[in-house]
Amino acid sequence: MTSMQAWRKASKRISPKLSPSALSKITNDLEQSITGAPDSAFSIPQSTARGDAFVINNADGSSSNPHSGRDDDEQKGSKKNANPGAVVRLMGTSRRVFLINPSLTPIEIDGLAYRIRAMASNDGINSVVVANPLEDAERNGDMSENTTCLPSFVEEGEMSMKDDYFGGGGPYGKRQNNAIKAMLHERYGDGLGMPFVSSGYDARKIHEMGLHKDVEQLERQLMAPLISLSEAVRGSYDETINSSPSKVPCISLPHGLVTDAGYSLLLGSYVLATHSTAFRIVNPCRGLAFDPVGLTYLLPRMGWEFNQASANYSPACARILALGGYEANAADMVATGLATHYVGGPYKLKILERALADLNSFEYQTVHQSDKRMYGQKDAKPDINANFKNVAVANLIQHLSEYDAAGAQEYGASLDDDLDETGMYLKDKDPSLTMPEERIQIYGEHESELVNWAATFEKAFDEPTVEGIMENLREIAATKAEFEGKRGYEEDVMVAEQAESLVENMEQRSPLALCVMNQLLQRGIEEGETLESCMEREKASQMRLFTKEDGDYTRWAESGNGVGLVEMKHGNSSLIRKKEELYSGWAHSSVKEVTGDEIKEIIGV
């Protein structure tokens, strides 16, 4: 009897009169006995309907889901359950991963890695979509009136489209009148209610759980799951756990801010950036360096994959992000290859989900009919339809996108003879018949502030040490007094102010963490390095920073300070923007005090 047959036979014996929690427990037990799923897999429930019990808390804050208790609650002995960090939902011939919480517990990270790896190897679907719920984006980041946490863009009638639900629409919800909304938009833009997509894990919770005191537990419970999740999203085949090769693409649509380990969820085949997508590295504000997700391999190679202009300045781009705390927006991410496509508004997710739900599964994406064979006979010939697999998904994403990371260099190659001297417009056969404003524009110019600053400060970031980089930036910042107030020198003043901002950000971060990150980036770009080797080096370095006695991480975690992110207040106090306080009591007062031996001690030889 096959696993599917056993599953169906057992399912027929389940009484529909059982409570949701009992049904959930029985289903999980069946899945574990038939598929051999690890216990951590059930920390990420699979939702089959809107309104299921394991994603809806009761009025008192408790949950009927027996697997929804989070690690931090268990450590404190709390009986109160919380919603899971992520939920998987069936979506026709696709699957959707809802990122409910911006940080996952270690067991949830491990469970999500298993779920994504299992789904990616399933030829009965066509894709896996990873995205945060978008109801919070429509309501100023406020999910308090959302009773399900799981909006649906697939089944007609599931999501209420009444005006009282959206409160007139827009990113500021119904709590403010039109005058206040206009003022908010003018001052803060659409990003006021930008949600926090993912940070990977909560660094302070790791300290509360005591993992920083035990190297083996830290590696087993946090570092190894982070690597596993990164490899699962990327589609890497892991022989150590007998996983099947990945078949379908993982599509990420992060509508909001992603930080540090959260980038592990953006390592898939497609990363679709919206107008509010952003990426920022804040670990140095915690006394930590790179999480083991491969950033020391990816950042120094930004722009290489798609032959972008940013490839010429990738070392400077990497240091501006990692050391300077620069927040890359959607345009920056696409221009550097951190995102593959720009889709504009988050409403595109609705179109994407509907289309993916109706596309053929991987198994049935065929053009040529396969050769007939006897029952039980293995197919010795190569799959004649292999070149047509996943093409429909790629075409769909390209159709939904406004532009992609490849740009005109790839898609405009065949139109060179038909474009004018600008490379943006089609040539006119008879210019007298077409007004300039009526010309058909094929490609538009897209500008990245990150790439511009990398080109501007390229020489400043050429220094091998963090101390040398900061000194170069200080020299540029000092020119502000020379040019300020003079006509024609506005751009020079702007450059000086940006250099001053980068130095200020670097001075607020852990000196030891900055020096470690700089050295990791230098090693990551060396010839012969791979994503896996960089992950292992990141893991070793991060574990030593976590477990260092009286180290910067321990000092930060015990201080109660944050990392400088802006906290939005909901409800009637949504006008208040509270910024987290930064910690400043690092073991070293400046990068000058960090010795080479201390860096080697963290990174290793």
Side-chain angles (χ1 to χ4, degrees):
M1 182 182 296
T2 64
S3 298
M4 184 57 68
Q5 289 173 332
W7 187 292
R8 289 173 177 171
K9 184 176 181 180
S11 299
K12 292 179 180 179
R13 300 181 180 180
I14 298 178
S15 171
K17 297 181 180 180
L18 293 174
S19 65
S21 59
L23 285 170
S24 175
K25 184 67 169 61
I26 293 174
T27 302
N28 292 343
D29 291 342
L30 281 172
E31 181 181 357
Q32 190 170 34
S33 63
I34 294 172
T35 66
D39 292 336
S40 61
F42 306 111
S43 64
I44 307 296
Q46 294 193 78
S47 166
T48 57
R50 182 182 179 92
D52 37 21
F54 53 64
V55 293
I56 307 175
N57 281 343
N58 298 324
D60 60 355
S62 62
S63 171
S64 57
N65 173 26
H67 296 281
S68 67
R70 296 177 52 91
D71 287 356
D72 48 290
D73 290 332
E74 293 172 1
Q75 293 293 326
K76 298 176 184 178
S78 173
K79 296 182 180 179
K80 180 179 176 180
N81 287 329
N83 286 321
V87 172
V88 177
R89 183 173 186 180
L90 279 69
M91 193 173 67
T93 50
S94 182
R95 296 293 183 269
R96 166 77 187 274
V97 177
F98 289 86
L99 302 175
I100 305 299
N101 295 315
S103 62
L104 303 176
T105 65
I107 192 173
E108 287 174 343
I109 294 174
D110 190 56
L112 184 58
Y114 172 84
R115 291 290 191 199
I116 291 179
R117 183 174 280 111
M119 290 186 292
S121 62
N122 182 4
D123 59 8
I125 62 176
N126 58 50
S127 59
V128 178
V129 180
V130 181
N132 51 310
L134 299 185
E135 284 177 329
D136 54 353
E138 292 292 340
R139 300 190 58 77
N140 217 24
D142 188 358
M143 298 285 283
S144 60
E145 295 185 18
N146 177 16
T147 58
T148 65
C149 287
L150 293 181
S152 171
F153 300 96
V154 180
E155 301 174 21
E156 285 292 339
E158 277 205 3
M159 192 170 87
S160 174
M161 300 299 291
K162 296 180 180 179
D163 289 339
D164 60 346
Y165 179 82
F166 285 102
Y172 306 112
K174 67 181 181 181
R175 298 183 182 276
Q176 310 296 342
N177 60 39
N178 293 333
I180 295 180
K181 287 182 183 180
M183 183 269 292
L184 289 172
H185 186 277
E186 181 179 354
R187 185 170 181 182
Y188 299 117
D190 290 336
L192 178 63
M194 183 177 71
F196 194 176
V197 179
S198 178
S199 62
Y201 61 93
D202 189 331
R204 182 162 276 113
K205 293 294 183 183
I206 299 303
H207 184 271
E208 294 175 1
M209 294 168 63
L211 292 182
H212 66 294
K213 299 178 180 179
D214 192 321
V215 177
E216 293 183 357
Q217 282 194 8
L218 179 65
E219 180 178 11
R220 184 177 65 255
Q221 296 186 28
L222 180 62
M223 295 296 153
L226 279 175
I227 293 178
S228 180
L229 177 60
S230 302
E231 293 176 341
V233 174
R234 194 170 180 84
S236 301
Y237 175 59
D238 191 347
E239 296 180 353
T240 62
I241 58 173
N242 298 320
S243 67
S244 301
S246 177
K247 297 178 180 178
V248 301
C250 184
I251 306 167
S252 302
L253 196 152
H255 181 63
L257 179 64
V258 177
T259 64
D260 302 294
Y263 194 78
S264 61
L265 298 169
L266 274 59
L267 290 173
S269 303
Y270 305 101
V271 180
L272 314 184
T274 71
H275 54 68
S276 293
T277 299
F279 173 66
R280 187 176 177 186
I281 295 176
V282 297
N283 263 350
C285 296
R286 305 183 178 109
L288 297 173
F290 291 106
D291 289 305
V293 299
L295 285 176
T296 57
Y297 179 84
L298 298 171
L299 293 184
R301 293 170 174 79
M302 287 189 291
W304 289 20
E305 182 178 359
F306 301 106
N307 193 28
Q308 297 168 288
S310 57
N312 300 321
Y313 313 104
S314 54
C317 286
R319 284 168 174 78
I320 290 175
L321 285 173
L323 308 180
Y326 186 90
E327 184 174 300
N329 60 23
D332 297 326
M333 294 179 69
V334 179
T336 56
L338 293 176
T340 61
H341 296 76
Y342 179 77
V343 296
Y347 69 89
K348 291 285 186 69
L349 180 59
K350 173 181 179 180
I351 304 172
L352 177 66
E353 287 185 325
R354 288 182 182 274
L356 289 175
D358 294 333
L359 281 182
N360 286 338
S361 64
F362 181 88
E363 181 182 5
Y364 291 101
Q365 292 174 10
T366 59
V367 175
H368 302 289
Q369 185 175 1
S370 302
D371 295 336
K372 294 182 179 180
R373 63 181 187 272
M374 300 295 292
Y375 177 78
Q377 178 184 1
K378 294 184 178 180
D379 192 357
K381 297 181 179 180
D383 186 2
I384 60 177
N385 292 295
N387 293 333
F388 305 103
K389 301 291 187 180
N390 298 325
V391 173
V393 176
N395 290 337
L396 171 62
I397 292 174
Q398 193 64 37
H399 177 72
L400 288 176
S401 304
E402 295 187 13
Y403 65 95
D404 65 1
Q409 289 87 348
E410 177 179 344
Y411 296 99
S414 60
L415 296 176
D416 284 346
D417 295 336
D418 299 321
L419 298 177
D420 64 7
E421 64 279 0
T422 66
M424 296 169 55
Y425 298 93
L426 287 176
K427 291 180 180 178
D428 295 319
K429 294 182 180 180
D430 187 353
S432 63
L433 300 178
T434 307
M435 299 295 291
E437 62 271 14
E438 295 175 343
R439 294 183 301 171
I440 300 177
Q441 182 172 347
I442 303 300
Y443 302 111
E445 293 182 348
H446 305 290
E447 189 171 335
S448 166
E449 291 292 334
L450 172 60
V451 178
N452 289 345
W453 290 128
T456 303
F457 300 124
E458 183 181 16
K459 292 183 178 179
F461 282 96
D462 267 347
E463 286 288 334
T465 64
V466 179
E467 180 183 355
I469 292 173
M470 294 181 71
E471 285 301 321
N472 288 342
L473 291 174
R474 287 192 182 101
E475 290 180 7
I476 299 174
T479 62
K480 179 180 178 180
E482 177 184 352
F483 298 116
E484 194 170 23
K486 294 182 179 180
R487 180 178 298 179
Y489 291 93
E490 292 81 7
E491 187 172 327
D492 298 270
V493 173
M494 185 172 60
V495 169
E497 289 176 345
Q498 183 60 43
E500 186 178 17
S501 175
L502 290 173
V503 171
E504 182 181 352
N505 288 342
M506 295 172 74
E507 289 174 342
Q508 293 172 341
R509 284 154 171 72
S510 162
L512 178 59
L514 288 181
C515 293
V516 169
M517 295 176 79
N518 184 55
Q519 188 64 32
L520 287 173
L521 288 173
Q522 291 179 15
R523 295 196 184 186
I525 201 173
E526 292 178 358
E527 187 177 355
E529 289 292 333
T530 64
L531 185 68
E532 290 73 20
S533 66
C534 288
M535 282 182 176
E536 287 300 322
R537 192 181 298 112
E538 292 164 358
K539 180 185 75 171
S541 302
Q542 193 76 316
M543 287 175 59
R544 294 186 181 103
L545 289 173
F546 262 116
T547 58
K548 187 176 178 62
E549 188 175 355
D550 193 32
D552 286 343
Y553 165 72
T554 301
R555 295 184 178 201
W556 169 83
E558 294 175 351
S559 71
N561 292 109
V563 292
L565 295 179
V566 174
E567 178 186 357
M568 297 303 305
K569 295 292 185 179
H570 303 308
N572 294 329
S573 59
S574 64
L575 287 173
I576 301 175
R577 286 162 53 99
K578 181 181 178 182
K579 192 171 184 177
E580 298 173 337
E581 292 185 7
L582 289 168
Y583 179 70
S584 59
W586 308 116
H588 305 83
S589 60
S590 69
V591 294
K592 294 181 180 180
E593 298 183 4
V594 181
T595 65
D597 290 338
E598 288 178 296
I599 300 173
K600 290 180 181 178
E601 179 186 354
I602 299 299
I603 297 178
V605 180

